[in-house]
Amino acid sequence: MKRLVSALIGAAIGLCATAPAGAQSYPSRNVTIVVPFAAGSGSDTAARVLGQHLAARLKQNFIIENRAGATGAIATAAVAKAAPDGYTLLLGTNSTHGSNSALYKKLAYDPIKDFAPIAHTGVFSYFLVLDPKLPIKSVADLIAAAKAKPGEISYAGGSSTSIVMAESFAKGAGISFLKVPYRSNPPALTDVIGGRINMMFCDMSSAIGSVNSGSLRAIAVTTKNRSTLAPDLPTIAETAVKDFDLASWTGLFAPAGTPNEIVERLNTEVNAILALPDVKERFAPLGIEAQPVSAAEFTRYVQSEVVKWAALVKEAGIEPE
């Protein structure tokens, strides 16, 4: 009997020793959320709100690390290669997991195969903003100016979303712009404010303060319906390009192979955070709409977005780099 008990104890110890990391208590140390854009961007704002609440709920630090460059591709590729243990996460977007696959001939990661989607964290509305010193007060004025000087009006491309929006708008309106690429939206916005670049499509969370202060002029929103943040601003669809309806989104991702129990735990926590009144209140003035769904639903959504944004890139006539 003693031998049988000892054998059973030994077998149990062996099973514990080989248990997957995800089955152990998570998190047991600091977690890093990599944001593939600069501080001050809409995705950065969403990540910091989530990180703050995740830290409080899970009793571990959630560190936000900004790695801007190549419309998010550099940081995303790095996270794809990280250990699949739940301690390195990505605040991905429709740039990293949508249009980048069509914008680059060679992408150092696969947006579907290399990631485990965790949670859909929000949808971002966009402004079309201008240097207020320009004598352009409306979408009609902008189109007229672009037709008068083809390819001379410059736009800042701080993300693949802003680039796709600008080129889709230009094609729909029968005009052309001069693209000036940037590593992320915040420095691009700085140059529009400073008058070095004429215009850009920018998420409301990054631009709203400058629009309200008058250092930027917003002339339209990019969604099908007018925004409650700026109800007097027309949509592009109602002024120039029929059916123009574009917004961006963010979501939390882990490297592929991350234990499902960690993915589900984080999905539950993030969805609970998105339902908090103070989070909704903080998101609303920035034009961020929370959209909690299951990890499985978010996975299907990401798969459809890769197809959707690739089609938009092609329709806009953007050549991959």
Side-chain angles (χ1 to χ4, degrees):
M1 180 62 72
K2 289 182 177 179
R3 289 180 179 177
L4 178 59
V5 172
S6 296
L8 290 172
I9 292 173
I13 292 172
L15 287 172
C16 290
T18 58
Q24 300 171 8
S25 177
Y26 172 86
S28 59
R29 54 186 172 85
N30 293 347
V31 178
T32 298
I33 300 177
V34 178
V35 178
F37 301 102
S41 60
S43 52
D44 176 70
T45 300
R48 292 183 187 279
V49 171
L50 290 174
Q52 176 186 356
H53 283 275
L54 283 169
R57 295 172 72 91
L58 298 180
K59 311 304 180 186
Q60 289 292 340
N61 292 326
F62 277 72
I63 300 167
I64 308 304
E65 181 179 326
N66 297 90
R67 294 191 206 175
T71 63
I74 295 173
T76 306
V79 176
K81 296 177 177 65
D85 55 10
Y87 290 94
T88 302
L89 307 175
L90 176 77
L91 204 290
T93 71
N94 55 288
S95 290
T96 63
H97 287 73
S99 51
N100 275 358
S101 58
L103 288 172
Y104 294 95
K105 293 177 180 177
K106 291 183 179 180
L107 198 60
Y109 65 91
D110 187 303
I112 303 300
K113 295 179 181 179
D114 290 343
F115 291 91
I118 295 171
H120 191 185
T121 55
V123 172
F124 293 71
S125 299
Y126 267 59
F127 282 135
L128 168 51
V129 295
L130 303 166
D131 171 5
K133 295 184 293 296
L134 295 173
I136 296 174
K137 304 294 179 65
S138 67
V139 173
D141 288 348
L142 176 60
I143 293 173
K147 287 183 175 180
K149 297 181 178 180
E152 291 187 27
I153 293 179
S154 59
Y155 79 86
S159 68
S160 62
T161 302
S162 62
I163 293 169
V164 172
M165 285 182 177
E167 296 296 341
S168 296
F169 169 66
K171 183 172 183 181
I175 55 179
S176 62
F177 296 124
L178 173 65
K179 180 179 75 172
V180 181
Y182 284 79
R183 291 170 63 86
S184 62
N185 278 348
L189 203 59
T190 297
D191 277 0
V192 177
I193 293 170
R196 290 176 287 278
I197 303 294
N198 298 138
M199 56 168 274
M200 74 176 291
F201 285 81
C202 186
D203 58 277
M204 288 186 180
S205 57
S206 297
I208 189 68
S210 298
V211 169
N212 289 339
S213 70
S215 55
L216 281 175
R217 176 182 296 138
I219 60 172
V221 295
T222 63
T223 46
K224 180 180 180 180
N225 299 314
R226 293 195 179 199
S227 170
T228 55
L229 281 183
D232 293 334
L233 277 183
T235 68
I236 289 176
E238 70 183 83
T239 56
V241 183
K242 185 180 178 182
D243 298 327
F244 194 100
D245 181 18
L246 292 176
S248 67
W249 55 264
T250 58
L252 197 63
F253 294 82
T258 299
N260 188 60
E261 52 265 44
I262 292 179
V263 171
E264 292 298 334
R265 172 79 185 280
L266 287 170
N267 175 268
T268 298
E269 296 294 343
V270 169
N271 286 348
I273 290 167
L274 294 177
L276 295 173
D278 68 306
V279 172
K280 290 182 177 180
E281 289 173 7
R282 186 168 178 186
F283 278 2
L286 300 174
I288 304 174
E289 179 187 352
Q291 291 194 344
V293 296
S294 69
E297 288 173 314
F298 184 44
T299 297
R300 291 190 292 271
Y301 178 78
V302 172
Q303 292 168 345
S304 69
E305 285 292 287
V306 171
V307 175
K308 168 188 169 181
W309 283 89
L312 287 169
V313 170
K314 185 176 181 180
E315 289 170 8
I318 304 173
E319 293 294 329
E321 297 179 6

